[in-house]
Every structure is written in structure tokens, then in C-alpha cells.
Amino acid sequence: MRKIKLSVLDQTPIRKGSNASESLQESIQLAKLTDRLGYTRYWLSEHHNSKTLASGSPEIMIARLGAETERIRLGSGGMMMPNHSTFRVAENFKVLEGLYPNRIDLGMGRAPGTDRLTAHLLNPSNQFAPKDYIQQLRDLQQLLKDEPLEGISEVKVSAIPIVNTNPDLWILTSSGESALIAAHFGMALSFAQFINPVGCANAIANYKKQFKPSAELNEPQTSVGIFAFCSDDEEKVKRAQALMDYRLLSFERGKFDQIYGYDDIKDELYDAQEQQRILFNRQRMAVGTPAQMKQQIEKLCDDFDTDEIIISTFTENAEDRFRSYELLAEVFDLQNHA
């Protein structure tokens, strides 16, 4: 029987009637809870120019959450590398690794996590070229291992501090293209099913087939990220499903900054085309009672040949969000598997 690991992706959502400060404080409470419950890792996303999400700085949140937790791995899901200096990312995550040895993940993506104008302001030299991202990954591996950077200088430049351990390196992908990059560099791979429900199985299969062991990782390691909500109250399941259906459809309509509750959208009517999109988008999520969720998540792991599911949960209140993670921990017996 497959031993399933569950992890958290915290996108720091701001719900109706709340604000960014409350969202960040909720992240602290959720990290402490999932640490106790036996979740494997807690990742924070990087988004910019958003009214609905609270954090564009995963590394700052990781530093804060490390002081509040004991066991759970902490990481970025992810650092959007074209926005950043590679050297600065290396130093930030070496500091984190020095603070919390063997608990830090550096998940990396090549999308900006925002619109092009904001991405330009984050990094005016960004050319959005795939080869630049690949060079960043190569340089990062060398900096983390305190090796000279090729073609930079005859004088060795070290990213500080010099520490005895390194963060685990993950490549994030939603299209599958970066799966081969992860395989080439010998890094772990996380597929964002919550962004794109097409291609996950092929991406993971190709990654495992092409994987080249590295000094950091001997064999392939994968995870799959989904939106998810679990409740033993079927009415709450219904409301969560309706909210998620509307949320993803509104993104496709170009409405990214709406903050709403169930009462705002409960009477929404969808035409035939919209209903088809809703069914398509439901592949990006798992919503249900504990028994239903166990079945859905086990099927995802079998379909995608992975042992780890990373869960992002949006709810109308903090209590339902916390309870969802509690129920999933119970149904998968995480504390006895941690």
C-alpha cells in the first residue's frame, strides 16, 4: 500500500471582511497546527500586485514560521526566479538553512507570478528567456555548494553564510516543460495540478525516466499540488465547491481582485460553456467528506505515480480551513507516519 504524505501550500488568501495582516497571522496559526498534525512540508507562494493574497515574500514568512514550528519542512512554492538575483536567493536560503538545518525547501519556478509590468519592476533586467532560468539554476547549485561560478570571475565569490547543510531543491511546473529541467539537474519536481489539470501524469513519467542523480538527490522525488477542502458537514462541502467553481471561473474572466463570500455568488447562473469550464476546473481540486477525500487523494496518487499531495485551501472562515487540515490528517493517519 502506498504511504501518502500530505503537505501545505499557503497562498495567504485574504477573505471577505478580513485583511492582509489577519491573513499573515492566520498563516502562523496554520503552520503551527499542521506541524503538530504531521504534515510533511509547509510552502508559501510568491505573488505580486494582488488584492486577494497577502504575501509576495516567501523567504520572510519562512523565517517567521521556523521560529513557531519544530518539525515540519518550510519552503517556497515557489521563488519565481526571474524576479530575483540568483546570488541573493542563495544567500537568503543559506541563512534560512543555517537557522533551521534540514528543514528548508527551495522551490523554484520560471513564471513571474504576476503581470509583465510588475515583473519588470521587480527585475528591470528580466528578459523572460528560458535560457536565463536554466543558467540561474546552474549558478544556484554552485553557490549553495560553495563552488566557483563558471565564467563570472577568476576570484571565487561565496554566498554566505557557509553552512554544513543545504536546502532541498524543487522545480515547480504547471505545463510539464520544466520536468525535464528538474530531471537534468537532479532536483525534485512538483506539478501544479491546481493551475493546470492537463499533463501531470506524462510530466512525472518523463521526469522519472530522464532523471539524473545529483549530489543533492539520488532518486526522483515528486509531489502534486491541488486545491482541496474537507468537511464532515455536507452543506459546507457544497458551499466550498460553489465558491471554488466561481473563483476559478472568475479568474478565466480576468477578474483577479474580487473578494467575495458564498452569499455573493450562491445565485450565480452559468451557461453551457461556463458549466463545461467548471467541470474541467474541478480536475484541479478535491472537495468532499473525509471518506470521499481519502478516495480522491489516493486516486490522484495512483494516477500520477506520486506519494505526496500538497494542499491549498480557501474557506469562508479560518475555523473551516483549520478543520479541513485536521480531518485530512486524521483520515491519512499522518501523526503515526511522520
Side-chain angles (χ1 to χ4, degrees):
M1 181 179 292
R2 189 188 295 272
K3 178 183 172 183
I4 295 174
K5 296 181 289 186
L6 297 183
S7 295
V8 181
L9 173 62
D10 183 1
Q11 295 180 300
T12 58
I14 303 171
R15 62 176 59 87
K16 186 176 181 179
S18 185
N19 55 56
S21 181
E22 289 181 355
S23 173
L24 297 174
Q25 292 299 318
E26 185 176 313
S27 292
I28 296 173
Q29 297 307 312
L30 182 59
K32 292 166 70 173
L33 173 65
T34 51
D35 184 35
R36 295 194 302 269
L37 291 174
Y39 281 77
T40 298
R41 66 189 88 246
Y42 193 106
W43 281 3
L44 296 120
S45 62
E46 177 188 340
H47 293 276
H48 304 280
N49 194 26
S50 171
K51 296 178 182 178
T52 65
L53 304 174
S55 176
S57 301
E59 65 274 40
I60 292 178
M61 290 298 294
I62 291 168
R64 180 72 171 87
L65 299 182
E68 300 283 354
T69 55
E70 297 179 359
R71 179 206 55 83
I72 197 167
R73 295 190 65 88
L74 301 165
S76 56
M79 292 298 295
M80 312 319 289
M81 293 299 290
N83 297 339
H84 304 285
S85 152
T86 312
F87 191 85
R88 192 62 175 147
V89 170
E91 291 202 322
N92 284 342
F93 276 79
K94 291 185 87 171
V95 168
L96 291 170
E97 184 68 25
L99 288 169
Y100 312 111
N102 298 309
R103 288 183 59 200
I104 301 300
D105 296 331
L106 173 47
M108 297 166 286
R110 67 178 180 181
T114 187
D115 57 89
R116 280 291 179 107
L117 174 59
T118 306
H120 173 73
L121 294 173
L122 285 161
N123 178 9
S125 65
N126 185 3
Q127 299 297 314
F128 301 97
K131 64 180 179 60
D132 293 341
Y133 176 60
I134 292 171
Q135 185 63 50
Q136 282 189 293
L137 298 178
R138 184 177 292 112
D139 290 347
L140 186 72
Q141 278 190 320
Q142 293 174 312
L143 288 167
L144 291 176
K145 291 186 288 188
D146 197 32
E147 295 177 350
L149 289 177
E150 296 179 9
I152 299 296
S153 170
E154 294 181 1
V155 178
K156 180 181 174 182
V157 179
S158 295
I160 62 169
I162 307 301
V163 291
N164 295 325
T165 59
N166 284 322
D168 286 357
L169 302 180
W170 288 77
I171 296 295
L172 279 55
T173 186
S174 60
S175 66
E177 293 181 13
S178 292
L180 297 181
I181 296 175
H184 172 77
F185 282 104
M187 298 178 183
L189 178 73
S190 186
F191 190 95
Q193 179 80 2
F194 65 93
I195 295 176
N196 178 18
V198 177
C200 181
N202 285 337
I204 288 179
N206 289 335
Y207 163 74
K208 290 184 175 182
K209 181 179 179 180
Q210 300 292 332
F211 182 82
K212 298 179 181 178
S214 63
E216 298 80 22
L217 192 63
N218 291 326
E219 57 187 26
Q221 184 176 359
T222 64
S223 67
V224 175
I226 60 170
F227 293 123
F229 175 73
C230 183
S231 176
D232 43 23
D233 184 331
E234 293 190 359
E235 179 62 24
K236 289 184 177 182
V237 171
K238 174 186 171 184
R239 292 168 69 104
Q241 182 73 76
L243 275 166
M244 189 60 68
D245 289 343
Y246 181 85
R247 180 173 182 267
L248 297 182
L249 195 60
S250 69
F251 286 174
E252 295 179 355
R253 294 167 173 164
K255 299 177 181 177
F256 296 101
D257 286 335
Q258 288 185 331
I259 299 178
Y260 43 78
Y262 176 74
D263 288 341
D264 299 317
I265 60 95
K266 64 181 180 180
D267 297 323
E268 190 80 9
L269 297 176
Y270 303 109
D271 62 27
Q273 184 178 2
E274 290 170 331
Q275 289 172 358
Q276 287 298 313
R277 290 304 303 175
I278 286 172
L279 291 176
F280 176 80
N281 284 331
R282 285 186 179 180
Q283 299 174 88
R284 300 160 63 179
M285 67 185 82
V287 177
T289 63
Q292 292 168 338
M293 291 294 287
K294 188 172 192 297
Q295 185 177 29
Q296 290 181 65
I297 288 175
E298 287 177 342
K299 185 176 187 304
L300 285 172
C301 289
D302 289 340
D303 289 348
F304 299 144
D305 190 22
T306 190
D307 297 323
E308 182 174 352
I309 299 295
I310 301 184
I311 292 168
S312 178
T313 299
F314 290 71
T315 58
E316 291 185 88
N317 58 66
E319 292 75 20
D320 287 346
R321 191 182 185 205
F322 296 161
R323 183 59 179 154
S324 177
Y325 284 104
E326 288 175 344
L327 290 170
L328 290 173
E330 291 172 11
V331 80
F332 284 99
D333 196 22
L334 296 187
Q335 287 186 321
N336 288 330
H337 291 165

